[in-house]
Amino acid sequence: MPQYTDAQIEAAIESLNEPGRLEQAQRVVAAAAPQLQGILNQALESADWFGRAHQAEVVRAAGIADPDERMRAVQTLIAEETGVSMLIGVAVGYELAHLLMDPTEGD
């Protein structure tokens, strides 16, 4: 697996802001969405992200009497779930890119 410098990674991330840059990737991801969702679910399950501790936090947040505080707690949960899912998605995409560059690597 190639090693990248921080500068290379920053430059690549910056180029993602170019108009139309993500269109092809979005088409590919949309076509593979069910399989990718399965990988995400498996990763979340193996990390026990949606286990008892998470369910207890959902119940706690939903049971907060003050509407503003309850809203903040629910928004925090959603943000955490989104962040974890995004990080797993990026890791999957990163590994998938390496496998596509060198198909023999996965054997």
Side-chain angles (χ1 to χ4, degrees):
M1 179 180 317
Q3 298 294 313
Y4 302 102
T5 66
D6 290 345
Q8 288 172 310
I9 293 170
E10 287 178 31
I13 290 172
E14 183 62 34
S15 73
L16 294 175
N17 287 321
E18 295 171 10
R21 181 66 186 226
L22 295 177
E23 289 175 7
Q24 174 62 23
Q26 289 170 331
R27 283 192 291 278
V28 170
V29 169
Q35 294 153 303
L36 294 171
Q37 183 66 47
I39 293 169
L40 174 62
N41 290 342
Q42 183 180 21
L44 290 170
E45 186 176 314
S46 70
D48 198 31
W49 178 254
F50 291 114
R52 280 195 253 199
H54 178 74
Q55 292 302 322
E57 189 60 23
V58 169
V59 169
R60 185 198 70 76
I64 295 173
D66 179 79
D68 291 334
E69 188 178 336
R70 181 175 54 245
M71 182 64 84
R72 276 190 296 280
V74 170
Q75 288 172 333
T76 297
L77 278 172
I78 291 169
E80 289 172 354
E81 290 175 4
T82 300
V84 168
S85 296
M86 184 190 75
L87 290 173
I88 292 170
V90 168
V92 169
Y94 187 79
E95 186 61 22
L96 181 59
H98 284 101
L99 290 171
L100 290 170
M101 287 188 284
D102 183 6
T104 62
E105 189 177 312
D107 295 338

